[in-house]
């Protein structure tokens, strides 16, 4: 069975969504280990509550960023991990981890990539005035939010949205598409071909990919 390793820095609601889907049997996999780069990441608390192994790994204890990611790769490899999930992990992943898990590191980003990469995807979208934003699950490469796209979900943007209101609407979709992408991976249905990810077979829950439109108040 597929073993999953997770990296998180904070709240961990996407980690929770995947853990719930695993626990409920929707994803045939096991979460083997969560590592955080912050000591008080709430994700650690969630892991403890779910009875999952988790610990904080202090980046300051390593000589270089590469050394930090080499250690993470070793920890995941020792657990037999076959898929690494970034779940609100606030660091650029370095080569030692990517080389150990080629096209086996996924990330969720709160915008429709390639629009609004980097930090504060929701703030950027609300500030720009786009009418549609959303979220993207993608494989991770060495760039910042540049890897091949697996699933996206579209979310309407209201003229009176704040960063918070838009973030909340996007987060609902994140919690649907991240488990869906992991499920597709666990079923062996994802194939990377250049910049494209080919999804074999029907994508179930396609209705989850577009949030219901919002009624405008006039
Ligand atoms: C999410 O918005 C995710 O898209 C971004 O960071 C946030 C993490 O939230 N990468 P959580 O820690 O999963 O609750």
């Amino acid at each position: 069975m597929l073993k999953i390793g997770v990296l998180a820095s904070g709240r961990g609601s996407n980690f929770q969504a995947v853990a719930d889907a695993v626990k409920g049997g929707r994803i045939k996999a096991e979460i083997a280990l969560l590592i955080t780069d912050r000591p008080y990441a709430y994700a650690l608390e969630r892991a403890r509550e779910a009875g999952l192994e988790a610990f904080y790994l202090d980046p300051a204890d390593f000589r270089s960023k590469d050394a930090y990611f080499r250690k993470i790769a070793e920890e995941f490899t020792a657990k037999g991990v076959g898929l690494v999930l970034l779940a609100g992990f606030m660091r650029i992943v370095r080569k030692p981890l990517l080389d150990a898990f080629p096209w086996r590191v996924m990330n969720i980003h709160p915008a429709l990539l390639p629009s609004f990469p980097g930090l504060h995807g929701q703030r950027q979208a609300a500030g720009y005035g786009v009418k549609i934003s959303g979220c993207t699950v993608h494989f991770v490469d060495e760039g910042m939010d540049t890897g091949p796209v697996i699933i996206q979900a579209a979310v309407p943007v209201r003229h009176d949205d704040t960063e918070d209101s838009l973030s909340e609407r996007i987060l609902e979709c994140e919690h649907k598409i991240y488990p869906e992408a992991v499920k597709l991976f666990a079923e062996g249905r994802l194939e990377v071909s250049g910049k494209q990810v080919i999804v074999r077979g029907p994508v179930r829950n396609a209705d989850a990919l577009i949030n219901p439109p919002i009624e405008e108040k006039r």
Side-chain angles (χ1 to χ4, degrees), residues 126-139:
Y128 194 95
V130 292
K131 303 300 185 194
I132 296 176
S133 191
C135 46
T136 304
V137 181
H138 63 94
F139 283 117

Side-chain angles (χ1 to χ4, degrees), residues 104-143:
R104 281 175 171 71
V105 182
M106 276 185 196
N107 181 43
I108 181 132
H109 181 76
L112 288 177
L113 293 172
S115 291
F116 312 127
L119 288 176
H120 309 301
Q122 308 95 326
R123 188 192 300 174
Q124 293 182 58
Y128 194 95
V130 292
K131 303 300 185 194
I132 296 176
S133 191
C135 46
T136 304
V137 181
H138 63 94
F139 283 117
V140 175
D141 63 11
E142 283 182 72

Side-chain angles (χ1 to χ4, degrees), residues 10-15 87-89 107-110 122 171 174-175:
R11 182 177 58 180
S13 69
N14 279 288
F15 161 59
F89 186 63
N107 181 43
I108 181 132
H109 181 76
Q122 308 95 326
L171 194 63
E174 293 185 35
H175 295 164

